[in-house]
């Protein structure tokens, strides 16, 4: 999550080689440096936003959504723990794990749905 600001890191990520990311990179970011990194960032941020809109009011998932939002902005686990009134350890071990699982589900659903429409 902290790597969202690093286009080179995103461009090298294996997820940037998925069909949906490749298509997005070649259409929207074709004239940019490291287009797959930009496309991957866009999809991840859209997934985080969608999760927040869809699940942000769910009592058991709201912390995960808030974690993803804050981490995408570069906020540390310690600061997130303070905001959520949890220990840094709990955030790192429990909330992070659940949040990344949700993000993976959203990413797969997004890329799978888009691949089927193209």
């Amino acid at each position: 999550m902290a790597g969202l600001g690093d286009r080179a890191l995103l461009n090298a990520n294996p997820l940037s080689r998925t069909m949906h990311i490749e298509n997005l990179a070649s259409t929207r970011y074709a004239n940019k440096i490291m287009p797959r990194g930009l496309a991957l960032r866009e999809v991840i941020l859209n997934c985080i936003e969608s999760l927040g809109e869809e699940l942000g009011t769910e009592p058991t998932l709201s912390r995960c959504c808030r974690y993803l939002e804050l981490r995408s902005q570069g906020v540390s686990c310690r600061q997130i723990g303070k905001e959520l009134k949890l220990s840094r350890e709990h955030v790192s071990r429990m909330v992070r794990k659940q949040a990344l699982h949700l993000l993976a589900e959203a990413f797969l659903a997004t890329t799978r749905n888009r691949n089927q429409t193209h």
Side-chain angles (χ1 to χ4, degrees):
M1 294 294 302
L4 283 178
D6 187 340
R7 188 185 309 189
L9 183 66
L10 290 169
N11 202 67
N13 187 302
L15 293 175
S16 72
R17 305 230 178 345
T18 61
M19 185 186 321
H20 175 67
I21 300 300
E22 291 276 357
N23 289 339
L24 184 60
S26 66
T27 56
R28 187 167 298 157
Y29 300 107
N31 297 324
K32 302 290 183 182
I33 297 171
M34 295 181 241
R36 288 188 321 266
L38 290 170
L40 182 57
R41 178 188 299 149
E42 178 184 325
V43 170
I44 290 172
L45 290 175
N46 286 341
C47 287
I48 291 169
E49 183 179 338
S50 295
L51 285 168
E53 290 170 0
E54 188 174 337
L55 304 174
T57 59
E58 297 270 335
T60 58
L61 300 174
S62 62
R63 286 180 177 167
C64 297
C65 294
R66 189 66 183 139
Y67 171 88
L68 290 170
E69 291 169 10
L70 292 171
R71 283 302 286 160
S72 72
Q73 298 166 12
V75 177
S76 72
C77 282
R78 176 167 305 194
Q79 292 169 311
I80 293 171
K82 286 180 183 178
E83 179 167 320
L84 297 179
K85 296 179 176 56
L86 299 170
S87 70
R88 180 194 57 77
E89 292 81 14
H90 184 77
V91 169
S92 294
R93 291 187 183 135
M94 301 300 293
V95 177
R96 176 181 178 267
K97 182 179 177 180
Q98 292 173 313
L100 292 178
H101 179 76
L102 282 177
L103 183 56
E105 292 276 336
F107 183 86
L108 290 172
T110 298
T111 57
R112 216 178 290 135
N113 290 339
R114 299 278 160 64
N115 288 341
Q116 291 173 357
T117 60
H118 288 105

